[in-house]
Structures are given as structure tokens and as C-alpha cells.
Amino acid sequence: MLRPSADDHRVVGMHTGKIVTGFGLLMVVPLVTSMVFAEWRTAVDFGIGLAACLVVGLGLQQLCATTHELKRRHGLVTVSLSWVLATLLGALPFSLSGQMGSYLDAIFDVMSGLTTTGLFLIQDLDHISNGLNMWRFVLTFVGGQGIVVIALTFLFKGTAGSIYHLYSGEGKEDRLVPNVVQTARVIWLISLGWLAVGTAVLTAAALWLGQTPVRAMLHGLWIFMGAFSTGGFAPQSFNTFWYHSVVFEVLCVIIFVAGSLNFAVHWAVWTGDRAELRRNVETRSFIVTLGIFVLLAAVGLARAGIYPDAMSFVRKCFYLLASGHTTTGFGTVYSRALVTQWGPLAMLAIIGTMILGGSSCSTAGGIKGIRVSLIARALREDARRLLVPDAAIISSHYHHIKDRVLSEGAVRSALLITVAFFVTHSVVTTAGVLAGYPLVEAAFDGVSAASNTGLSCGLISPAIPWGLKTVYIVAMWLGRLEFMAVLALLGWMWSVVRGR
């Protein structure tokens, strides 16, 4: 392993500075929101946070200015390091607000927002300022698309290869159009289009529920951001259960299922290829696995004897299973009801959905539907080989944006990430058990954090040990970046010390 040169460090530092600068400029949104609502103390907090981001971001760009091209390892390290710095700096307004028990709690909430997880440790959520709430939802909305994607959209110029290394390092591989920068812009075009429509519809629903126009608009905007980014944040502590509205819940399901779809599928539908929605292997996988886990949860709930009528079952069981499978984390039951009423079997069904997750190149987390499909097809292909003559040629095909042949490399990559996810789930669950929590509860909240879902059975709270909070933060980071960028950063640090 070669020790990075000074030029290598400058390349990473300069590009990290650009991403941190772009991230810091996002604080203008909650800063303006605070000023509009005369929340002057909150405005000062965001002014301090914005200044800190600009000092670090612009300082890195000046200190590390270089013309050397960004290579693959530079891109992976840049992405991972940018997420660390963005989390540390983004936590400043949280910490200054007085709503957090510690700076570690503030880091937890920012990482949860950026990774679209939705777990939170903020205290008295129902009464925090509009500016701070706006920051929570900006984090989760931007995190769903990716902080690197937004930087590529507005701040980066470079060769196609160097830019692609940044794009792929954030857990995205599919190009919607041949050019990577244009792909990033298309992702934002899709997201902003949904933002306009979704916010208008949810605002109308909130007005129908009796909220004032300003409050309805804020709740419509925030719930959309939490749903489309499959982030799970909500402006009230009871999540979407607070609204007690079938209409609101139906709209949320539509939005978070849309958010869990591959952006390439959105683009195909947008450009007229509506058949892609039906043919794509990930959407088919999602329908099949969701049906299996809903059936499993129904058996568990039938044994428990709750939700006897169809409407209650759909509003509670189907909603939570769909929320878990899309890794959104919206809920319509009290968190402790999962333990006291649902029971282990139904909870295991939700854990299963969270592990699988949504689609690749989307705002969702988890293993992703494409990997589940590839592994299933590889197993079927091996089973067929056992039943046919040795001379027979066996091949499998699948449709993901285009017709593809199942390759050994694709299966190996899918298995590698899948094993990494299961190892992470095991480690986080073990950490919860060692902290003194029951196995099923530790597994539920641990998998929720590692898969970037956000559902909780009540384990997550400011009272959990600081070591367990740290484990959850790292698990959310690993799950969102899908390991490779984080491993590259660790390897970079090791090579600085031990490299030749």
C-alpha cells in the first residue's frame, strides 16, 4: 500500500472543501426561515453554523488548491470525509439551540437526517423553532439526493471520469443520462418536480384537517421532504400518527413509495417509457417481498388478536410494513406498541423489510432490491445447473433500465454488500444487547439505524449510553455510503501511517 503524497492530500482537501461549502450554503434556508418568524436566537445559531462551514470549506479550497486530477480513491475518500465534516458542522445549530442533551446527540440527529434514517434524540420536538425544524428537513431532503449530488449540480467542473468517482462514492451507480453532471441535475429536477406537487397536495390535506394556512404549508413541505427522501422525520413527536387522517396516510404512502424508486425509473416514466415501472426487476422484487412480509406480519397480528377489521389492518400493518420496506420510518402506532401488542413475529416481519430496503440509486436504504434480485437469480441459476447435462449452457437475464445478462461480477458485488450489511446488523444488534436491551428490541432499532429506516420500538432515546449512540452513528454512515467510501477512508488513514 502506497503512502499518499502531498498532491493526493491536496486533491482530497480541495474537493472536500467544495462539498462542505455547498453544504454550508444550505443553512441559508433555515436562517431565512428563522428571520421570517422572528426567531432571532435561532437565526444567530445558523449564522454561526454557516460561518463555520464557509471558513472550513473555503479554507480547504485555498489551502489545498491543485490542478491534479481526482482519481477513484480520491473520490471515495472525499465523499466519506465530506460526510464526516458536514455532520460535525451541521450539528452546530442543533447544539447551540439548547434542545440537545449533548454535542454527540446533535451529531446523532444530523447523521440521522443526512442518511435519511429518521431516528432522533432532540428534546421537546413538538415545541422547537420553525428554523430548527426546517434544518431537520433540509438535511433529510438533501441527504436523500446526496450532498455530493447537489455539489456536482452547482459547484463542480472537471473530467467525466473524476466527477463520476464522486458520484459513485455516494452509493449511486446508475447514470440517467450519459453525462454525470447532467445526471445529478436530472435527479434534482425530478426531486424538485415532486416537491412542488407533493407539497401542494399535502398542504391542501393539512388545510382540510383544520390547520392555519402557514402551518399547513410548513407541515405539507416538511412531511413531503420526510416522505420523498424516505427519511422519516416529522414535525411532531407522534410522527404521522399525529394527523389521525386516512387521506394523509394514503398520500404519504404514495410519496414514500415514489421516493424509494430508482431515479432512472422516474426518468424513464418522465420521458415516456411508462412500461419501465412494470418491467423493472426492482419494482417487481419490491411487490413480491412486501407481500410476503405483510402476510407474515398478518399471521403475527392475528395471533395477538389486534386490528380485527380491514381498515385498521391497512392503516397500521400495511402502512408500517410499506414504511419499513421503503426505509421511510413513518409510523401510525406508538413505538412501544410494537413490543407490547405486535409481538416478536410481526416485529421480525418489519425487520425483514428494513433489511431489504428500497431501490438502488434512490433515496432509500437497505440492501436494495437489485441486489436481492441478483442473488435470487444466481441461486436459481445454480439450481438449474444441477438438473441439466454438464454441456448445457445456463444464463439468466433481467431487466433493469435495459435488458441485461446476469454476470459473475454483478453477483459477487451484490453478495459483498449484502454480507457487509448483515455483519453491520449483527454488530449493532450485539451492541444493543450488551447495553442491556432485549434481543428483539436491540435487533429492531439496530437494523433500523443500519438500514437508514428510522422506525423504533422505543429503544432510541437520549438516555441510551453514549457508546451505543456512537455505534448507531457509525452504522447509519456505513449504511448510507454502502461501505466502500468509508473503507476507502480507513484505508487512506492506514496508508498514511503504514504505507510505503
Side-chain angles (χ1 to χ4, degrees), residues 297-348:
V299 172
L301 293 175
R303 290 179 179 178
I306 58 176
Y307 312 138
D309 60 282
M311 180 58 74
S312 297
F313 177 82
V314 171
R315 293 186 65 185
K316 307 298 182 182
C317 179
F318 178 81
Y319 187 92
L320 252 68
L321 269 293
S323 178
H325 208 330
T326 58
T327 69
T328 303
F330 278 171
T332 51
V333 300
Y334 297 110
S335 57
R336 290 305 295 174
L338 295 173
V339 178
T340 59
Q341 296 180 355
W342 280 50
L345 183 59
M347 290 179 67
L348 287 173

Side-chain angles (χ1 to χ4, degrees), residues 447-463:
V447 168
S448 181
S451 63
N452 307 133
T453 303
L455 289 173
S456 175
C457 63
L459 186 154
I460 298 293
S461 75

Side-chain angles (χ1 to χ4, degrees), residues 3-320:
R3 182 176 300 166
S5 66
D7 286 332
D8 290 325
H9 289 301
R10 280 194 285 269
V11 170
V12 170
M14 186 182 73
H15 289 86
T16 300
K18 289 184 179 181
I19 295 172
V20 170
T21 300
F23 175 79
L25 293 176
L26 294 172
M27 290 193 187
V28 172
V29 177
L31 174 60
V32 171
T33 302
S34 301
M35 295 174 68
V36 168
F37 289 97
E39 299 166 348
W40 304 115
R41 178 178 173 180
T42 304
V44 171
D45 294 342
F46 281 105
I48 294 171
L50 173 59
C53 288
L54 293 180
V55 168
V56 173
L58 296 176
L60 282 173
Q61 291 181 64
Q62 290 298 315
L63 184 65
C64 302
T66 179
T67 57
H68 281 74
E69 186 177 0
L70 182 139
K71 304 295 185 182
R72 176 170 171 75
R73 65 171 180 156
H74 299 142
L76 292 173
V77 173
T78 297
V79 169
S80 193
L81 184 60
S82 299
W83 275 70
V84 172
L85 287 178
T87 301
L88 296 176
L89 294 168
L92 287 173
F94 277 96
S95 183
L96 294 170
S97 70
Q99 301 289 148
M100 310 300 304
S102 65
Y103 187 62
L104 181 63
D105 289 6
I107 292 173
F108 182 102
D109 276 33
V110 173
M111 182 63 80
S112 180
L114 283 176
T115 57
T116 71
T117 303
L119 299 169
F120 64 91
L121 300 178
I122 195 167
Q123 300 174 17
D124 197 16
L125 175 60
D126 297 320
H127 300 99
I128 66 173
S129 65
N130 290 313
L132 194 59
N133 234 338
M134 182 65 78
W135 183 229
R136 297 174 70 237
F137 290 97
V138 168
L139 285 172
T140 196
F141 188 65
V142 170
Q145 280 54 249
I147 61 174
V148 172
V149 168
I150 192 172
L152 290 175
T153 304
F154 301 108
L155 301 176
F156 273 91
K157 292 181 180 180
T159 65
S162 64
I163 291 176
Y164 181 72
H165 297 325
L166 290 169
Y167 174 75
S168 62
E170 208 168 37
K172 292 180 172 63
E173 296 288 345
D174 295 330
R175 298 193 194 193
L176 281 62
V177 293
N179 183 281
V180 177
V181 172
Q182 290 299 323
T183 293
R185 290 173 180 169
V186 166
I187 288 175
W188 273 101
L189 176 65
I190 293 168
S191 300
L192 293 176
W194 270 95
L195 177 68
V197 176
T199 299
V201 173
L202 287 170
T203 299
L207 286 169
W208 178 70
L209 291 175
Q211 292 187 346
T212 62
V214 173
R215 187 171 177 81
M217 184 190 68
L218 288 174
H219 277 238
L221 174 65
W222 291 340
I223 289 295
F224 172 82
M225 286 179 163
F228 188 75
S229 65
T230 64
F233 276 162
Q236 304 294 149
S237 57
F238 286 150
N239 208 270
T240 51
F241 188 35
W242 184 82
Y243 298 96
H244 294 286
S245 169
V246 175
V247 174
F248 221 81
E249 291 161 13
V250 170
L251 292 174
C252 285
V253 170
I254 294 171
I255 294 168
F256 63 60
V257 169
S260 74
L261 295 177
N262 193 307
F263 279 110
V265 174
H266 281 278
W267 185 241
V269 173
W270 192 309
T271 53
D273 184 13
R274 294 180 177 82
E276 181 64 33
L277 188 62
R278 171 179 51 83
R279 298 173 61 201
N280 192 275
V281 68
E282 288 191 292
T283 57
R284 292 185 174 189
S285 171
F286 176 84
I287 293 170
V288 171
T289 51
L290 178 60
I292 292 172
F293 283 113
V294 167
L295 181 61
L296 183 62
V299 172
L301 293 175
R303 290 179 179 178
I306 58 176
Y307 312 138
D309 60 282
M311 180 58 74
S312 297
F313 177 82
V314 171
R315 293 186 65 185
K316 307 298 182 182
C317 179
F318 178 81
Y319 187 92
L320 252 68

